[in-house]
Amino acid sequence: MAKKKGTGLLMVWTDVPADHEEEFNRWYNQEHLAERLAIPGFLSAARYEALKGGPKHLAYYELESIEVLESDAYKHVQAHPTEWTRRCSPNVLGTNFIRNVYTLLHPAAVTPDVAQSAMAPALQIGRMDVPPDIDQEFNTWYNTIYVPNYEKVPGVIRGRRYRAVVGTPTYMTLYEFEHPQVSESAAWQASGTFRLSPIVYGHICSTPQALQVCGSRRFNSRRSGYTLAGRSAL
């Protein structure tokens, strides 16, 4: 059975002017997703629309690895855009355009179950930078306590973390949900009540620009929720 998930992600966010949105959606759904999935190493693709946060449109591609984006096949398609792409691609029409490439950080490997799993009905995404002096301890805490705690919530399929190799901020956490209301549930809200290590707590709760996870569970990171808007039939 063909793999659906790998260790790399290509994530493209954008907003689009209302008068171009219909054609933009047709281009993505009728041409662009299928074109990208024809490239070896592109495993799955889906489009999502923001329910909270933004930008509104997200195109999410699962890659065998980030090396796919250095392949001759990908570079050829990039260098020879179709006429429709020249008119409607997000770097032409879009505002707040973000194109980030990520490699898997947590878990350490893609299990067979994850590799065969479909794109989720809903996502919650958090993106953040971490000061170098607490980077190692922060990641250990996030990977072993923070994400596993939320994975226990009903409706959470899984949580994965990535490091950006193209784009910023450095880290992205990707939660896959069975439905968009998971993050509004009492169980999800209650999962924020756990202890931080003293070093992480001291930094997070004293730095306004950092992710806020103190007693009030305040967040000042770039966090967005998305619901499935379309996927390739391939």
Side-chain angles (χ1 to χ4, degrees), residues 20-211:
H20 291 287
E21 202 160 26
E22 183 178 351
E23 186 177 13
F24 175 79
N25 287 328
R26 284 193 293 108
W27 166 75
Y28 245 124
N29 296 337
Q30 296 177 21
E31 178 180 277
H32 193 67
L33 290 185
E35 180 185 66
R36 288 299 184 261
L37 282 173
I39 299 169
F42 274 72
L43 305 178
S44 300
R47 297 185 62 220
Y48 292 82
E49 289 190 0
L51 295 173
K52 57 185 177 183
K56 178 180 178 179
H57 297 281
L58 167 63
Y60 159 20
Y61 303 90
E62 286 277 352
L63 309 175
E64 180 74 38
S65 70
I66 58 174
E67 283 71 29
V68 171
L69 302 180
E70 299 300 322
S71 68
D72 290 342
Y74 180 70
K75 290 181 177 180
H76 177 79
V77 172
Q78 271 197 317
H80 299 85
T82 68
E83 184 58 38
W84 207 359
T85 296
R86 291 191 185 98
R87 294 199 318 269
C88 292
S89 67
N91 58 327
V92 173
L93 289 181
T95 59
N96 303 314
F97 173 64
I98 302 167
R99 179 190 180 276
N100 285 3
V101 179
Y102 296 95
T103 191
L104 185 65
L105 180 66
H106 170 80
V110 180
T111 65
D113 285 349
V114 173
Q116 298 301 325
S117 62
M119 302 298 259
L123 308 173
Q124 179 153 299
I125 298 170
R127 298 182 293 130
M128 70 194 74
D129 286 314
V130 177
D133 57 325
I134 67 162
D135 186 86
Q136 182 174 353
E137 182 160 359
F138 183 90
N139 283 319
T140 298
W141 166 75
Y142 215 101
N143 296 344
T144 62
I145 297 175
Y146 191 81
V147 171
N149 203 53
Y150 281 104
E151 286 182 312
K152 299 173 186 176
V153 174
V156 175
I157 300 169
R158 68 183 60 87
R160 290 177 289 165
R161 294 190 68 226
Y162 294 84
R163 183 188 298 271
V165 296
V166 175
T168 57
T170 304
Y171 296 108
M172 181 181 73
T173 305
L174 176 68
Y175 292 102
E176 298 173 72
F177 291 168
E178 293 176 355
H179 55 82
Q181 290 74 41
V182 171
S183 63
E184 308 302 324
S185 68
W188 178 271
Q189 301 299 323
S191 292
T193 57
F194 46 77
R195 289 183 60 84
L196 298 171
S197 74
I199 292 176
V200 174
Y201 182 93
H203 177 83
I204 287 175
C205 296
S206 63
T207 307
Q209 291 80 19
L211 172 66

